[in-house]
Amino acid sequence: AVPHELSASDDVIVATARLRRRRLRRRARVTRVTLEVDRTARPSDVHSGSRDDRQLSIAIRRVALQRA
């Protein structure tokens, strides 16, 4: 886990985390990013008129790794 910040932007939640350079410099040149959430929402939680109580997954619009 890395320290991160959450902010709202255009009806979505944006998660931002800075990685130390040594985490990005691996011999295999592979950086693995894993996203985990502590809970998900049901359609009935989002829309009060919905009777659908299935647990949903998370939706990821974009992941960007940038060198600073």
Side-chain angles (χ1 to χ4, degrees), residues 4-55:
H4 61 279
E5 296 178 13
L6 299 176
S7 61
S9 176
D10 296 328
D11 295 329
V12 298
I13 301 298
V14 177
T16 306
R18 289 193 172 272
L19 297 179
R20 290 188 216 144
R21 240 182 230 284
R22 69 178 183 218
R23 286 190 183 208
L24 293 175
R25 289 184 183 173
R26 293 189 162 189
R27 292 180 191 178
R29 298 276 187 206
V30 173
T31 300
R32 183 179 305 259
V33 176
T34 303
L35 303 173
E36 297 179 7
V37 296
D38 61 346
R39 65 182 172 84
T40 58
R42 299 172 296 182
S44 57
D45 295 334
V46 178
H47 299 288
S48 60
S50 175
R51 298 178 67 149
D52 188 348
D53 63 351
R54 296 173 295 148
Q55 284 294 118

